[in-house]
Every structure is written in C-alpha cells, then in structure tokens.
Amino acid sequence: MIRTVKPKTAKAKRALKERDPKLVENVKQVLFIPGQTSNKLLHDAMVDLSALKKPDIKRFDRKNNIRPFEDPTPLEFFSEKNDCSLMVLSTSSKKRKNNLTFVRTFGYKIYDMIELSIVENYKLLADFRAKTFDVGLKPMFSFQGSAFDSHPVYTHVKSLFLDFFRGAVTDLYDVAGLQHVISITIQGDFRDGEPLPNVLFRVYRLRTYRSEQGGRKLPRVELQETGPRFDFKIGRIQSASPEMEKEAHKKPKQLETRSIKNVDLDTMGDKFGRIHMGKQDLNKLQTRKMKGLKSRFDQDGGKEENDMEEYLEDDEDALNKETNSEEDTYGEEFVTAEDIEEPSAKRQKKK
C-alpha cells in the first residue's frame, strides 16, 4: 500500500482529489504491462488493443516479473500507483503460449482475472492496411452465441469486454460517431464436459452507401474488417468473491431512481403513465352540437313513433275479437222521413 503524504502544492491537491470516491466515477483507465517472458507478438497485440481503447490507456515499456495467480500484490501496487482499474499482462511459456491476462480491480484490490491465449490464426492492424476509425469513439458490440447469457465463463468474458471498452457514460449520441463494431463469437457449439471453444475477436468499420430505396436518409450499410483479428483460447479464471461482488455492485442512495406512482418504464426506456378516472354517466354525455338536432325539436316525433310501435305490437286476433264483441245498433239509430212531424202554420206565421 502506498503511503499518503499531505499535499504541499495545488497540483498535488487536485491529483489527490481526482482519486477520491465519487458518485459518478471517472472513465476506467487500462494499464498494459509486459511480463518477463513477453515476445514481439504480444507487444504488437497490446499496441493494437491500446489503439482501440485510446486515449484512456497507460503502457509500460520495461518488462516486469509478475505471476498474477501466485502473487497479485505487484498488480495491486501498479493499480493504485497509476490509478488504473483495468490491466493487461502479457506472458508466454511452453505451457501457456502467447498469453494475455485481463485483470479488473475494485478499490485497488484484485476483483477477477482471466487468461486468454492468442491462437495462430491472428492478424494485426498493420496487416489489413485499411482506413481505421477516429480515436476516442465508443464501439458497438455484437455477441454471437447463446452461451454468453447462460454459461458462467462466457458471461465473464462478455462482462470483461463490455467493461474494457465502455468509455465515458453519456446520454448524448451522434450517429456520425458510430463508426466501428466489435464482434465476439463463440466458435461452435459444445456440451458439458467438453473443452470450451475459442472466442473469436473481430473489429469492423461501418461504411455507408447511397441506397436506391432510402436514398441519403436510409443508406445501405456494409462492414469492412479493419483489425485486429484474434482467436482467444480460454485459460485460467479467478472469479470475484461474493463479498467483494456484493460491495462492488452497491449503488449510492443519491443515484437510486425513485419510483414515481403510476409511471412505468419499458425495456427501451419509454415512459408509460396510468390515469385513474371516476365512474362516467353516459346519460349526461353531450353529443348534439347542431341546433336542429336538439331534443326539443323531436319530442312529438318521438310520441308518434311510440304509438306506431304499440300498434304494430298488437295481435290481429285480439283486434278481431274486439270488433266482433260490439253489438250492432244500426236499426235502432235509423230514422225515416215519415217519423218527422211537419211544423204547424201558426208557428210559421209567428216566424
């Protein structure tokens, strides 16, 4: 552990303040360390990996005699001294040839480690001679293989590469900055008890062309391999302890998102609100807007329609029975001309 000295200058104070814990941590720096048995291939491979990670890198030129799985103390010392939470150590031996050890730390202590050996099928950046992408851009990732979500070893590999090339966390995105894709593929299928297949590491650059259907707004996209190209063979693995993993996954209370009542978020980050409304009385619903359609203009028409409906509902047999039951009073009410008395003469004179 490095002893802490009280800073005497403003520059030293700013440097120590940058290392203090923060709610939102700085971008993770990567330290590339050549081992005692490193060779030219491993040196070129680390140079190409550092080109993908620039500018958040630091690289040693001198070789260091470090055995990470036997004694990780030198790695913890380098992590604290250089303020780097990611490290890559290159070693080569007869048993483990062309070996890269990826190390992650938490609180300047070893969090986990994994060995990835470079198989003969490799190709460096200098071998492609193609136009690369700009420095400092975040890559897009493509993980091909269901084992990246189910198998613990390949889940560890996926988490490592996402953490390695994560970069700065931001909410601002520009389509022009999406220039390259890192594709990681599992070479073939496997069953339990069989050797784990290799991990294929490929880097592609996006090239856009004008399409016949979409024009400039919806161009045609093609992938051009720019390198580096590596086939990694999985070696030794050291996972994080449950206590350290629990401590590393803690989130400060200031960054916890408070749940808002009746507001939900879907997987794409879109907000959906829920509104609770009272019971509606449809009889009071106003649907008439024209003056001629108001209710006062069709009240009589409504009565006639009701009478017509009642008439149609009556049974014909019931109506016939009512007509037959009535008595015929035609003869009693009939009066002839002889039954009428003539008026007297006196009455006519008076008139």
Side-chain angles (χ1 to χ4, degrees):
M1 184 177 180
I2 300 177
R3 62 187 182 93
T4 56
V5 182
K6 186 176 180 180
K8 297 180 180 180
T9 60
K11 183 177 180 181
K13 290 181 180 180
R14 290 193 298 268
L16 288 178
K17 189 176 180 180
E18 284 294 323
R19 297 191 178 190
D20 291 340
K22 304 179 182 63
L23 292 177
V24 180
E25 293 292 342
N26 302 329
V27 180
K28 292 186 177 182
Q29 301 283 329
V30 182
L31 179 62
F32 291 90
I33 306 172
Q36 189 68 31
T37 58
S38 181
N39 53 29
K40 186 178 184 305
L41 171 61
L42 294 175
H43 175 268
D44 295 340
M46 289 198 300
V47 169
D48 291 351
L49 290 176
S50 63
L52 298 176
K53 181 63 179 174
K54 281 182 179 180
D56 304 318
I57 64 163
K58 291 183 181 180
R59 190 167 62 240
F60 287 172
D61 294 330
R62 295 183 179 181
K63 296 183 179 181
N64 298 268
N65 188 11
I66 301 174
R67 295 183 178 181
F69 289 90
E70 286 78 8
D71 184 16
T73 306
L75 293 177
E76 296 176 354
F77 173 78
F78 288 143
S79 174
E80 185 175 2
K81 185 177 181 180
N82 297 277
D83 194 18
C84 295
S85 57
L86 299 171
M87 290 177 288
V88 180
L89 176 66
S90 62
T91 56
S92 181
S93 62
K94 186 176 181 181
K95 187 177 181 180
R96 299 180 181 89
K97 191 177 180 180
N98 300 330
N99 194 36
L100 292 176
T101 304
F102 291 83
V103 183
R104 289 190 292 183
T105 63
F106 175 72
Y108 305 120
K109 300 294 181 182
I110 298 298
Y111 180 76
D112 58 6
M113 293 185 293
I114 184 171
E115 286 183 345
L116 298 178
S117 301
I118 300 176
V119 190
E120 294 298 329
N121 184 22
Y122 64 88
K123 201 171 182 180
L124 302 175
L125 276 172
D127 300 331
F128 282 93
R129 297 181 180 178
K131 184 179 178 181
T132 58
F133 40 85
D134 297 336
V135 177
L137 297 180
K138 298 179 67 173
M140 295 180 287
F141 271 91
S142 173
F143 292 93
Q144 303 178 33
S146 59
F148 282 118
D149 298 326
S150 58
H151 199 277
V153 176
Y154 291 102
T155 305
H156 186 178
V157 174
K158 179 181 178 180
S159 174
L160 171 68
F161 281 111
L162 288 177
D163 202 11
F164 193 87
F165 295 102
R166 184 180 183 184
V169 180
T170 178
D171 296 334
L172 304 176
Y173 298 98
D174 188 5
V175 180
L178 304 176
Q179 296 185 5
H180 62 295
V181 180
I182 296 178
S183 175
I184 300 177
T185 311
I186 299 175
Q187 189 178 13
D189 300 330
F190 65 99
R191 297 180 180 178
D192 294 339
E194 295 181 354
L196 297 179
N198 296 339
V199 177
L200 309 182
F201 183 89
R202 305 288 185 270
V203 182
Y204 300 94
R205 178 175 175 266
L206 269 68
R207 302 190 64 180
T208 56
Y209 299 92
R210 185 173 181 178
S211 62
E212 298 178 357
Q213 299 179 355
R216 294 182 178 179
K217 294 184 178 180
L218 188 61
R220 178 171 55 90
V221 179
E222 293 185 0
L223 298 179
Q224 180 186 7
E225 189 174 1
T226 59
R229 179 199 299 174
F230 298 120
D231 293 354
F232 290 122
K233 181 181 178 181
I234 300 176
R236 293 179 292 179
I237 298 175
Q238 178 179 326
S239 302
S241 61
E243 294 80 9
M244 183 173 289
E245 185 177 1
K246 182 179 179 180
E247 186 69 20
H249 289 178
K250 279 186 178 179
K251 290 184 178 180
K253 294 182 179 180
Q254 294 85 344
L255 297 180
E256 291 182 356
T257 56
R258 296 182 180 179
S259 59
I260 304 175
K261 191 176 181 181
N262 299 327
V263 176
D264 299 329
L265 290 175
D266 61 354
T267 55
M268 300 301 294
D270 298 330
K271 287 186 178 181
F272 290 91
R274 188 183 298 105
I275 301 176
H276 299 276
M277 302 181 63
K279 186 177 180 180
Q280 295 181 349
D281 188 2
L282 299 180
N283 295 328
K284 297 181 181 179
L285 186 65
Q286 178 64 33
T287 59
R288 305 185 181 194
K289 298 298 181 183
M290 294 178 59
K291 184 177 180 180
L293 296 178
K294 292 185 176 180
S295 59
R296 64 183 182 182
F297 293 104
D298 57 355
Q299 289 180 356
D300 297 337
K303 292 181 179 179
E304 292 178 359
E305 291 178 358
N306 295 334
D307 296 341
M308 191 65 181
E309 291 177 357
E310 293 178 358
Y311 174 76
L312 294 175
E313 291 177 356
D314 293 339
D315 192 1
E316 293 183 0
D317 297 337
L319 293 174
N320 293 333
K321 290 180 181 179
E322 292 178 0
T323 54
N324 294 334
S325 63
E326 294 180 356
E327 296 179 356
D328 190 4
T329 58
Y330 178 76
E332 297 178 357
E333 297 178 357
F334 184 77
V335 180
T336 60
E338 295 177 355
D339 299 334
I340 301 175
E341 296 179 359
E342 294 182 0
S344 61
K346 294 182 179 181
R347 291 178 180 179
Q348 292 179 358
K349 288 181 180 180
K350 287 180 180 181
K351 291 180 179 179

